[in-house]
Amino acid sequence: MKYKKSGEATRLESNGDGGSQKGGGDVPPSIQLDIMEHRAAAAGGGGGGLGTGGPGSASFFEPWREPTPGSGSGHGSSGRAGGREPPEKRLTLFALRLAVLEKAASGLGKLDFVWATVVLLGGFASTLSITDFWCVTVILVGEVARVFSRSHELEWQHHATQTSTAGGALRSSSRFFRHIMRAIVDPAAAAAGGGGRRDDDARARAALFQRQIVAFMRQRAWHAPDVSLLPYTGWVFVSRKIGRLLNWLQVLSALACVALSVMRLWKHDFGGPDNRNMRPALLLFYTLALVEALLFLFEKAYWTWKVSICKLLHQVSAECELGPYGLVSLKRFFYDAYSRCIAGSIFDGIKMDLVTFAEELILSDFLDEQLIGVRILQQFANSERSASDTLRKVGTTPRSIERLVEMLNWKRPEEEEVRRCAAEIVSKLAGKRQNALRVSGIPGAIESVASLLYTGRGPPVSGMHPQLPGAPADAEHGASPANRGYDHLPFNLLGLLILKRLARDHDNCGKIGNARGLLAKVINFTQASPVLLRNPHVTDSQVSAVKRALKVVKMLVSTTGNTGKALRESVAENVFTVSNLRDLLRYGQQHRELQKLATDVLTGLAMDDSGKEAIVATGGVVKLLLSIFFNSQETELGCEAGEALAMLALESEAGCAAILKRADVMDQLVSALEDGDARRLNAARVLRNLFAYSGQQQRERLRVVTRALPAVLKATMVDRDKILEVSVGLTTEICKFIDGEQFAAELRGAGVADERAYVERLASILRQYRYPEIKVPRMRRFVVQQVIWLVTNSGDRGDDGGGYVELLREVGMQRLLESIADTTSELECYHVFSGSVGISKHRESFSDIVDSALELIAGRRQR
């Protein structure tokens, strides 16, 4: 809490108990509340957060501030950007070195070829000896064979990485297809070179036509690289063998070139005295051929040493943590980098990295390429070293996020792995606040996530691919994925995880609530059968869906402002919500975390009248909460049940009546006042609300609580913070059933020396809390209310009405009240809070209460 005094900024700080203050001095002219920040992520936790209710934790009875979009967890440095090169850099450098050797060898080979054809065979063909003629011819044929085999080697290597030939051909010729399609649809626009608004329709028609052709070609694509290419040849002419054959053809041609060149250079018997130019021409030819062949053989030896002996691909795969599919992905990455170095500049390939490479692949039209891309991104997103950098890069690429979100809707069996990997990546993206905003900002993103919640027990509902009216349930995919062994549970868990992470943002909660049918799907996952809950051998995966669904619902009902109110009403209107939560409370003794989450949801629902009505109307819920509060051996769970009961009784006569249906509830609550801090805090809250809001027919049952007044007064004298606040508040309610003499007797029973000690304690509380305190927003209200009761009941002690008034004047209560009148705040006018928004306002404002206290003290003194 901050305030300014005499032009100098002074800051009030409270320690862990909220009891000390720094600064002191006179009343400041202005006040600025510094509302504490309670992150919505805490609401998604299993056992803590808003529903804890402990004396040191935040709850709905105190305000908190919604975190700003920029205050979420940011991107830290990762292993890929933390001062070290990414592991795939070794592959791009390797490709660069190979490309340098290959281009040098190819350049020498071209020069040697031109020299032989133009100079030797063109100028000296008639004077060449038979030996030199055939040596030159063989070397040229070998060079042509090597160039031919080299140009086709990479294509066969792509087969080894499980990439279809048809897919590669279509991908490499996509620009040609676009040009042809555009020329077919609109020849005039194509001839004009494009541009302008008039050919937008033509572009759209061309793109649609191209996609139709690509879809047709994908159906006809050949995905079997090990099929024999020639009939009746068996395994000899399969594509995998062809690559090896071309490789050996290059090596043999180079070896032949070396042998012939060395032999002729060693003998040195070419040329004659009649033609002096032939000798240096042949000498240059054989030297160039020898150097070119040696460069090629060195390249091959370097390749073999790095790949086969040093296991470079295995090392990089292990460093990148790519898992079992790492070699396939890295082979494809290396061949693409090498191809770029060969086709363009030698530095084109070195600019590549695996994340950008994967992003390019997921934008492909072919499933095998998409699968490689999402596998790479999935592994990097799950790696501690590379996750941050990868998610930052993907999160700032709109096309990549859109494609990943689009993949969530894919439901064909062959697309199952792609869809699962994409869901994992999106779940990681949603874990970062900025990325979560980008994901939810994509049109239809929430509906795409909702498609992951299909369980196979009914017709799938997809916002991107809606089912046509009157169509059978499985018409979308021909046959139900469930009938083909499609496992929906992993997708359900990922969908709930994405929703939980998206729900950390206030605006996303509104989008989740507005998505048609999504809230009902999430609530359906909160259902757990008694057999499942009682089974001691149940696996975690069987309970995970229920747990994640409860976390999502908890975050939704904890949403602040008008959005939260609308969401709580929507959740309460679902007829299965409270009954599902009741089953978890009744049968979930072996799953305490589920019970905690269910209790937190009930607490959130009880903030509004609609939620209170639904809870009271569902039989057994209040009885179960009372049983958990009184009998639970786990303190945290009992505290959460107590806070739910306190919220249910707040300003609800029906809620109070439901709690008082239990015969021994008052005795149990009074006994709880003697327990630990957490339990007596919530017991006092429940008792105060029962006193304040029960109907007239229940008033007599509440008189039994007067015997607990000594314990409450003792807590007022020694405790601090929340327990002190609720103790003073409970005292004001109990005092409505007694007179001044009884109160004096109860003070003595509590061990208080005299009335003056109690009055001094009230004054010390007001001095300690000179300004509104967010941890105990009702502290000053309760103290002033107790002061009013003391003044109005002073005459009951037979001292002419001046006893307590004189004591209050002596301790400076009037001056304290006058200073408090200048520091009242809206913070002190509400029972509970949804974030920084007050809910359930007190009937009388705090400023009116202070004015009434001042008038009473002044009037008694004048009399």
Side-chain angles (χ1 to χ4, degrees):
M1 182 165 46
K2 303 177 182 178
Y3 67 89
K4 295 181 179 179
K5 175 183 176 182
S6 302
E8 179 181 356
T10 309
R11 179 180 179 87
L12 279 182
E13 296 179 353
S14 61
N15 58 16
D17 298 324
S20 64
Q21 77 178 29
K22 301 177 183 178
D26 297 329
V27 180
S30 63
I31 293 178
Q32 177 184 358
L33 291 177
D34 186 14
I35 303 298
M36 65 180 292
E37 181 174 303
H38 185 86
R39 296 188 181 276
L50 300 178
T52 302
S57 63
S59 71
F60 289 113
F61 293 99
E62 297 87 40
W64 70 92
R65 180 164 47 192
E66 191 77 5
T68 58
S71 64
S73 57
H75 298 282
S77 61
S78 66
R80 303 181 62 81
R84 58 186 294 266
E85 294 288 348
E88 68 268 19
K89 200 72 172 179
R90 298 168 60 187
L91 289 180
T92 57
L93 288 174
F94 179 46
L96 171 64
R97 298 185 186 109
L98 289 178
V100 170
L101 293 174
E102 174 64 23
K103 285 200 169 186
S106 298
L108 290 175
K110 292 176 182 178
L111 178 60
D112 200 27
F113 183 82
V114 172
W115 187 263
T117 54
V118 175
V119 177
L120 294 180
L121 298 180
F124 304 105
S126 59
T127 59
L128 282 175
S129 64
I130 298 298
T131 302
D132 288 326
F133 176 81
W134 285 111
C135 286
V136 171
T137 303
V138 171
I139 290 174
L140 289 180
V141 172
E143 176 64 21
V144 172
R146 193 188 70 79
V147 173
F148 172 79
S149 60
R150 191 61 175 165
S151 64
H152 291 278
E153 182 184 11
L154 287 178
E155 182 180 351
W156 300 108
Q157 293 289 0
H158 278 300
H159 279 284
T161 61
Q162 300 179 357
T163 303
S164 66
T165 308
L170 280 177
R171 185 173 60 87
S172 62
S173 59
S174 58
R175 293 183 180 177
F176 174 75
F177 265 103
R178 285 196 295 269
H179 180 73
I180 295 299
M181 295 306 107
R182 189 177 174 195
I184 293 175
V185 175
D186 192 351
R197 296 181 178 178
R198 66 185 185 86
D199 60 342
D200 287 344
D201 293 339
R203 290 176 180 173
R205 291 195 297 271
L208 178 60
F209 191 20
Q210 179 188 356
R211 286 195 297 270
Q212 293 173 348
I213 292 180
V214 169
F216 175 76
M217 293 299 293
R218 288 176 63 181
Q219 297 176 357
R220 306 298 298 174
W222 177 24
H223 292 275
D226 287 336
V227 174
S228 177
L229 300 180
L230 295 176
Y232 310 111
T233 58
W235 59 270
V236 177
F237 286 101
V238 295
S239 59
R240 186 172 58 183
K241 303 296 183 181
I242 294 295
R244 296 180 182 177
L245 178 62
L246 294 175
N247 182 57
W248 280 109
L249 181 61
Q250 296 176 63
V251 175
L252 291 176
S253 65
L255 290 175
C257 182
V258 169
L260 292 175
S261 298
V262 170
M263 179 186 69
R264 296 305 298 153
L265 289 174
W266 179 265
K267 290 186 176 181
H268 208 66
D269 58 352
F270 39 80
D274 297 335
N275 196 340
R276 297 179 181 179
N277 293 330
M278 182 183 299
R279 183 183 183 87
L282 287 172
L283 182 62
L284 179 60
F285 170 76
Y286 288 126
T287 302
L288 290 175
L290 177 61
V291 174
E292 185 263 340
L294 290 176
L295 281 176
F296 174 75
L297 291 175
F298 177 74
E299 176 191 352
K300 283 295 181 182
Y302 181 55
W303 162 273
T304 304
W305 177 62
K306 294 291 287 185
V307 175
S308 300
I309 299 177
C310 296
K311 303 290 184 182
L312 178 61
L313 291 175
H314 292 79
Q315 294 176 11
V316 175
S317 178
E319 292 181 20
C320 291
E321 302 175 353
L322 290 178
Y325 301 104
L327 289 179
V328 174
S329 304
L330 288 177
K331 283 181 182 179
R332 175 63 188 271
F333 171 76
F334 170 75
Y335 289 132
D336 277 21
Y338 183 64
S339 298
R340 293 188 185 187
C341 291
I342 294 296
S345 170
I346 58 174
F347 299 106
D348 287 348
I350 204 172
K351 302 175 185 177
M352 293 179 59
D353 64 85
L354 276 172
V355 177
T356 306
F357 172 70
E359 288 182 297
E360 293 175 357
L361 290 182
I362 65 174
L363 296 175
S364 169
D365 292 325
F366 302 99
L367 185 61
D368 47 7
E369 296 182 346
Q370 294 163 352
L371 185 58
I372 294 175
V374 293
R375 281 173 176 171
I376 294 175
L377 293 179
Q378 178 207 25
Q379 293 295 332
F380 280 171
N382 290 325
S383 173
E384 294 182 1
R385 293 188 301 175
S386 58
S388 181
D389 187 62
T390 301
L391 295 176
R392 183 190 303 113
K393 197 164 190 176
V394 175
T396 53
T397 309
R399 293 183 63 195
S400 298
I401 299 181
E402 291 175 4
R403 173 50 66 94
L404 290 170
V405 171
E406 177 190 344
M407 289 176 173
L408 302 181
N409 286 302
W410 296 359
K411 301 183 182 71
R412 293 190 302 178
E414 61 269 22
E415 298 169 335
E416 180 177 0
E417 185 177 358
V418 173
R419 187 189 187 202
R420 178 180 55 79
C421 293
E424 289 190 25
I425 299 167
V426 173
S427 70
K428 295 293 183 180
L429 287 171
K432 304 291 184 181
R433 183 169 299 276
Q434 292 296 333
N435 290 338
L437 295 175
R438 296 185 183 107
V439 170
S440 61
I442 297 174
I446 301 298
E447 289 77 7
S448 297
V449 177
S451 68
L452 296 172
L453 303 184
Y454 174 56
T455 61
R457 295 190 292 266
V461 179
S462 171
M464 300 295 290
H465 304 287
Q467 186 175 342
L468 295 177
D474 302 320
E476 186 179 355
H477 302 303
S480 173
N483 297 333
R484 292 190 293 246
Y486 197 98
D487 188 8
H488 296 281
L489 181 58
F491 296 100
N492 300 155
L493 293 175
L494 288 170
L496 292 170
L497 179 60
I498 295 171
L499 289 176
K500 182 174 78 74
R501 291 176 173 175
L502 290 178
R504 294 173 181 173
D505 181 76
H506 180 275
D507 293 335
N508 289 343
C509 291
K511 293 178 181 179
I512 293 173
N514 293 330
R516 191 178 70 174
L518 178 55
L519 199 56
K521 285 184 177 182
V522 175
I523 292 174
N524 286 341
F525 279 99
T526 63
Q527 179 183 6
S529 65
V531 176
L532 177 66
L533 295 173
R534 289 174 171 173
N535 185 2
H537 305 293
V538 66
T539 60
D540 291 339
S541 61
Q542 294 176 283
V543 185
S544 294
V546 181
K547 185 185 303 183
R548 290 187 180 178
L550 287 171
K551 288 181 179 179
V552 174
V553 177
K554 174 185 173 181
M555 298 181 75
L556 294 179
V557 299
S558 303
T559 305
T560 61
N562 294 328
T563 301
K565 183 179 174 105
L567 285 170
R568 286 189 289 273
E569 290 179 355
S570 299
V571 173
E573 288 173 358
N574 190 298
V575 295
F576 301 105
T577 302
V578 182
S579 58
N580 289 347
L581 299 176
R582 177 186 58 188
D583 291 342
L584 295 174
L585 296 179
R586 179 173 292 168
Y587 305 111
Q589 289 77 11
Q590 299 181 20
H591 305 280
R592 292 300 186 186
E593 187 173 359
L594 296 183
Q595 289 188 320
K596 293 176 187 176
L597 291 170
T599 307
D600 287 341
V601 174
L602 289 173
T603 304
L605 290 176
M607 292 177 65
D608 296 322
D609 293 338
S610 58
K612 287 183 174 71
E613 294 174 2
I615 294 172
V616 172
T618 305
V621 176
V622 177
K623 186 185 297 184
L624 288 168
L625 289 174
L626 288 169
S627 178
I628 293 174
F629 178 58
F630 294 140
N631 304 321
S632 176
Q633 299 298 321
E634 192 170 345
T635 304
E636 189 175 356
L637 177 59
C639 292
E640 290 167 349
E643 184 169 349
L645 291 168
M647 193 70 71
L648 185 64
L650 181 64
E651 293 190 314
S652 173
E653 185 175 338
C656 294
I659 295 174
L660 292 172
K661 280 184 180 180
R662 178 165 170 167
D664 63 340
V665 64
M666 300 306 298
D667 294 332
Q668 292 280 4
L669 288 172
V670 171
S671 299
L673 293 176
E674 304 291 338
D675 291 342
D677 288 351
R679 181 164 293 182
R680 64 179 174 143
L681 170 66
N682 287 295
R685 283 174 174 170
V686 174
L687 283 172
R688 186 193 176 280
N689 290 340
L690 289 177
F691 271 104
Y693 306 111
S694 293
Q696 289 297 326
Q697 64 274 20
Q698 305 290 347
R699 303 296 290 178
E700 290 301 321
R701 289 193 60 189
L702 298 176
R703 287 187 177 275
V704 69
V705 184
T706 56
R707 62 184 174 89
L709 185 56
V712 178
L713 291 173
K714 184 177 180 180
T716 303
M717 301 301 294
V718 298
D719 283 312
R720 294 179 297 180
D721 288 345
K722 296 181 180 180
I723 294 180
L724 173 61
E725 177 193 49
V726 74
S727 297
V728 178
L730 180 57
T731 301
T732 60
E733 295 298 331
I734 296 178
C735 285
K736 295 177 182 178
F737 289 83
I738 61 176
D739 55 22
E741 291 186 359
Q742 287 180 286
F743 181 73
E746 297 294 348
L747 280 176
R748 291 189 293 271
V752 181
D754 53 17
E755 291 87 342
R756 183 181 185 86
Y758 181 73
V759 172
E760 288 179 346
R761 175 57 175 163
L762 295 180
S764 68
I765 294 173
L766 291 182
R767 290 191 187 96
Q768 180 180 353
Y769 296 98
R770 285 178 176 269
Y771 314 105
E773 174 61 52
I774 57 175
K775 292 180 65 177
V776 283
R778 294 163 294 278
M779 177 74 79
R780 303 197 305 173
R781 169 183 284 271
F782 291 158
V783 172
V784 176
Q785 286 178 339
Q786 184 63 13
V787 169
I788 292 175
W789 184 88
L790 291 175
V791 174
T792 55
N793 287 273
S794 292
D796 297 336
R797 299 175 57 231
D799 52 6
D800 296 330
Y804 282 116
V805 173
E806 290 300 323
L807 290 176
L808 292 170
R809 183 176 61 81
E810 290 175 6
V811 299
M813 183 61 69
Q814 187 171 2
R815 289 192 302 274
L816 287 172
L817 291 175
E818 289 173 353
S819 66
I820 288 174
D822 294 332
T823 61
T824 58
S825 168
E826 279 290 293
L827 175 69
E828 301 170 289
C829 296
Y830 291 92
H831 291 286
V832 292
F833 301 86
S834 177
S836 58
V837 178
I839 297 178
S840 181
K841 196 169 188 177
H842 288 281
R843 297 189 182 101
E844 188 177 6
S845 69
F846 183 46
S847 60
D848 290 342
I849 294 176
V850 176
D851 293 340
S852 299
L854 286 171
E855 290 175 2
L856 286 172
I857 294 177
R860 290 281 182 148
R861 185 189 307 175
Q862 292 173 1
R863 190 181 68 177

